[in-house]
Amino acid sequence: MEYSLEQIASQVRRDIVRMVTAAASGHPGGSMSATDVLTYLFFKEMNVTPENWRRSGEGLDQFFLSAGHISPVLYSLLARRGYFPVSELATFRRFGSRLQGHPSVDKGLPGVNQAAGSLGQGLSVAIGAAIAKRMNADPHTVYVLLGDGESEEGQVWEAAMAAAHYKVDNLIAMTDWNHQQIDGTTEDVAGLGNLRTKWEAFGWSVLEGDGHDFAEIARVFKEAHSRSRLGTPVMILWHTEMGHGVDFMAGTCKWHGKNPSVEQCAEAMKQLEETMGDFAL
Amino acid sequence: MKEYIDSGKKDTRSGFGAGLAELGNSNPKVLALTADLKGSLKMDQFAAEHPDRFFDVGIAEANMVGMAAGMALSGYIPFIGTFANFATARVLDQIRQSICYSRTNVKIAASHAGITLGEDGATHQTLEDIGLMRMLPGMVVINPCDYNQTKAATLAAAAWDGPVYLRFGRPGVPNFTPADQPFEIGKAIKLNDGADVTVIATGHLVWEAIQAAKQLEAQGVSVDLLDIATIKPLDKEAVLASARKTGKVVVAEEHLIAGGLGEVIAGLLATACPTPMRFVAIDDQFGQSGKPAELMAAYGLDAAHIVQAALSF
């Protein structure tokens, strides 16, 4: 059966909330703000075949999650896309699981290219992978997702400078700009400011879009491709809402790294349609 | 005691540069990255001969670690080079997550390690790097003693599947390892068979230990002398065999006692063969500006101090 992007995203958000509730820990807020963009990425945008996945990324598009704490959305999408059985989502954060709290290659989970969790490192890795693709004359694209709070890390801007210097134009970087981090809003905590002018000043081609509107997501990705391979790295700033999809979780930093209670989970399930079948707990 | 001939002083970092240049021609997968220290790391020849495989990333070490990890995913073998302080302490978390935990095949080439960096002073005199690197699961730690051994170790590091930390110094030191001696990772080199005391040395202290062993021999003390270039994985059998034979062990290194080879050996001996030990290393302090030889003497890292330690049991 073919599912619409909306149906997939609804199921992914159900997975996220159910995973963190079952694990009694994890990061639902940023997972839910990034859900629509990453659903589009994995189901429409990227040229990937899960059965051919390998860490080298050879001959395929390659995705790096830099903000590793939003592992629930990555795991749900990898499972729903067919990288590993959906039933394995029930093992999230449990002893011996391949679904570690933060993404790991340690236990060989298909679809995870690199460990992430300590913030600010993924863009550098993606740049290295993109340069390797260029050296190998591999025409595929490298994608990476950063958090907006993560962009407070200095390494992100080291990487920003390097990507422009090395004209890494087979890379599409994205920021999940939900304006929230653990301790409050990105403005209150760190004065994050205007990400667009910051990235432009570092020599990037910058696009913006509504990260919860699939028509817009499609349009912006298309535009991103038209701007790639032109000697400049591309950054898409996705305007999103932390906790999007569940009214009592939306738009606040409170759900950055907190799990719902069983009752709150039940309430959230009423707001998110089950479309592809829940994993068994 | 066997004679070791100094074929002329050379810096160990130049041994790395020569090894890297050789790899440039023998292995098309080898890449080199530096954070604005191409000349100091002796990467000039590689960079000139393989500009498409050389990346000067600017003064941005954290990004360099990540880029190298990303390149390694595709089967490349990146060597990242900078001063030992910036190659370890500054980017410990990047090495931990993007290299070791992610099991990427990156080689860290760290120069100007130890007190012999000299005049630049304590900000650059890294004395903690061996400890930092050996604590990381999966990291190989190599501290070669002269030019020829460093060149051979560089070739061995490229052939090893997994992260490797290579430690070099700045000043010229006697070059006595035979140029054709291959480097075997994890294998101690027996420099002298003796019965009275074991001296284990690494890096720049190996030549000092050879001089110390000669002096001790002249005083009627025969030294079982080991060059431990691979600090991790340690050649446990070689260390245990020597400790069992002599019952006394001196460890000499250009590093803090904390985290250094001495502690590695002590950890092994404490469980497998408790043996009285002496540490020729720096105890819980920073260095300062000065000439290398002057600093080695002032901080107790020369042949005279090894002799003293060996006679102190």
Side-chain angles (χ1 to χ4, degrees):
Chain A
M1 172 172 174
E2 188 79 7
Y3 297 98
S4 69
L5 290 165
E6 288 79 3
Q7 287 174 316
I8 298 167
S10 180
Q11 186 65 54
V12 168
R13 286 194 170 91
R14 281 182 73 91
D15 289 347
I16 292 165
V17 175
R18 294 180 73 242
M19 285 164 74
V20 299
T21 303
S25 68
H27 298 79
S31 293
M32 294 160 81
S33 64
T35 293
D36 298 320
V37 166
L38 293 185
T39 295
Y40 188 91
L41 187 78
F42 272 94
F43 280 85
K44 292 282 183 200
E45 168 69 13
M46 284 200 296
N47 173 1
V48 289
T49 44
E51 60 278 15
N52 291 332
W53 173 82
R54 48 203 177 272
R55 279 185 78 197
S56 72
E58 191 184 341
L60 296 168
D61 287 340
Q62 205 171 11
F63 172 67
F64 293 94
L65 176 64
S66 188
H69 57 283
I70 64 168
S71 57
V73 66
L74 176 66
Y75 295 153
S76 170
L77 278 164
L78 289 174
R80 297 292 173 185
R81 186 70 176 78
Y83 284 81
F84 58 84
V86 169
S87 60
E88 204 169 338
L89 295 177
T91 70
F92 176 58
R93 286 184 169 243
R94 300 209 187 275
F95 180 73
S97 174
R98 298 196 292 179
L99 280 62
Q100 292 287 295
H102 293 79
S104 163
V105 302
D106 204 36
K107 298 182 192 298
L109 186 68
V112 176
N113 298 310
Q114 181 78 353
S118 175
L119 294 174
Q121 301 188 28
L123 181 57
S124 301
V125 175
I127 290 166
I131 290 174
K133 273 203 183 321
R134 189 161 72 188
M135 288 191 286
N136 291 337
D138 180 337
H140 293 83
T141 300
V142 175
Y143 298 84
V144 59
L145 180 72
L146 292 79
D148 52 356
E150 179 181 19
S151 307
E152 292 157 18
E153 291 282 5
Q155 186 180 345
V156 171
W157 303 100
E158 290 185 5
M161 210 182 304
H165 178 65
Y166 283 106
K167 304 186 192 312
V168 183
D169 59 4
N170 55 342
L171 170 74
I172 296 178
M174 304 175 284
T175 301
D176 183 30
W177 202 355
N178 62 30
H179 297 274
Q180 303 289 337
Q181 59 190 104
I182 301 179
D183 279 353
T185 71
T186 51
E187 280 319 298
D188 288 346
V189 173
L192 191 60
N194 188 332
L195 283 178
R196 183 184 190 103
T197 54
K198 282 185 165 81
W199 284 99
E200 283 175 346
F202 275 79
W204 287 57
S205 181
V206 181
L207 293 163
E208 293 183 62
D210 179 345
H212 297 309
D213 175 341
F214 283 114
E216 174 130 329
I217 292 169
R219 184 187 64 71
V220 173
F221 269 124
K222 196 173 170 208
E223 173 69 13
H225 279 288
S226 74
R227 292 206 196 178
S228 71
R229 275 80 181 177
L230 295 175
T232 307
V234 175
M235 168 59 77
I236 307 174
L237 302 171
W238 294 113
H239 295 283
T240 61
E241 179 183 55
M242 185 169 267
H244 189 78
V246 173
D247 57 10
F248 64 88
M249 298 177 80
T252 166
C253 66
K254 284 185 205 155
W255 294 96
H256 166 89
K258 182 170 172 285
N259 59 289
S261 66
V262 172
E263 295 73 26
Q264 286 169 323
C265 180
E267 180 58 34
M269 291 306 107
K270 291 180 195 162
Q271 301 179 32
L272 298 166
E273 189 191 351
E274 181 181 356
T275 54
M276 302 168 83
D278 286 341
F279 63 89
L281 275 169
Chain B
M1 169 163 173
K2 194 181 163 193
E3 190 72 18
Y4 290 93
I5 310 293
D6 170 15
S7 65
K9 284 190 175 183
K10 280 183 168 179
D11 49 359
T12 52
R13 59 194 164 121
S14 286
F16 165 68
L20 185 67
E22 186 173 317
L23 286 167
N25 295 321
S26 65
N27 189 340
K29 289 290 183 190
V30 169
L31 312 176
L33 295 83
T34 186
D36 198 33
L37 286 171
K38 177 175 66 170
S40 294
L41 265 291
K42 305 295 178 187
M43 288 178 166
D44 307 76
Q45 191 184 339
F46 183 97
E49 292 175 357
H50 312 283
D52 52 327
R53 287 153 55 199
F54 173 75
F55 302 85
D56 194 331
V57 303
I59 309 165
E61 295 82 6
N63 179 55
M64 175 168 69
V65 171
M67 278 178 59
M71 292 166 169
L73 291 178
S74 292
Y76 287 103
I77 305 170
F79 282 75
I80 57 173
T82 180
F83 290 164
N85 186 30
F86 316 138
T88 58
R90 189 180 185 93
V91 290
L92 184 62
D93 184 43
Q94 284 78 11
I95 295 173
R96 180 175 181 273
Q97 176 173 288
S98 288
I99 297 180
C100 289
Y101 187 48
S102 292
R103 295 182 188 165
T104 50
N105 191 20
V106 177
K107 318 300 173 184
I108 302 167
S111 181
H112 294 54
I115 197 103
T116 51
L117 164 72
E119 291 82 351
D120 277 350
T123 53
H124 289 53
Q125 284 162 335
T126 305
L127 295 165
E128 310 86 3
D129 56 316
I130 290 172
L132 294 173
M133 292 298 102
R134 79 175 177 84
M135 279 196 292
L136 294 170
M139 180 69 87
V140 168
V141 178
I142 300 175
N143 183 33
C145 66
D146 66 4
Y147 175 96
N148 284 341
Q149 191 181 71
T150 307
K151 184 179 174 191
T154 302
L155 304 181
W160 181 271
D161 183 19
V164 177
Y165 178 68
L166 289 160
R167 183 191 212 231
F168 325 124
R170 173 174 172 260
V173 293
N175 184 28
F176 61 93
T177 298
D180 59 353
Q181 183 173 299
F183 189 90
E184 203 177 330
I185 289 177
K187 195 83 182 152
I189 297 163
K190 190 67 167 289
L191 293 173
N192 194 50
D193 270 313
D196 299 328
V197 62
T198 297
V199 173
I200 296 172
T202 185
H204 287 163
L205 268 291
V206 173
W207 180 256
E208 297 298 322
I210 291 170
Q211 306 317 303
K214 277 192 220 167
Q215 292 170 30
L216 286 162
E217 191 177 51
Q219 297 178 45
V221 177
S222 89
V223 175
D224 211 44
L225 182 56
L226 285 177
D227 166 11
I228 299 272
T230 313
I231 292 169
K232 183 182 171 186
L234 181 69
D235 188 343
K236 294 178 183 174
E237 289 313 310
V239 172
L240 285 172
S242 184
R244 284 186 183 120
K245 181 166 65 171
T246 66
K248 304 183 200 84
V249 174
V250 176
V251 181
E253 60 191 315
E254 191 182 350
H255 191 271
L256 291 183
I257 293 174
L261 176 62
E263 283 194 351
V264 178
I265 304 286
L268 171 68
L269 295 182
T271 49
C273 176
T275 308
M277 290 184 69
R278 299 290 183 269
F279 298 134
V280 175
I282 296 180
D283 190 12
D284 200 32
Q285 61 180 314
F286 292 104
Q288 61 177 302
S289 294
K291 296 200 183 311
E294 163 180 64
L295 290 164
M296 293 283 269
Y299 286 85
L301 301 179
D302 55 7
H305 285 86
I306 296 171
V307 169
Q308 200 181 357
L311 295 175
S312 72
F313 287 94

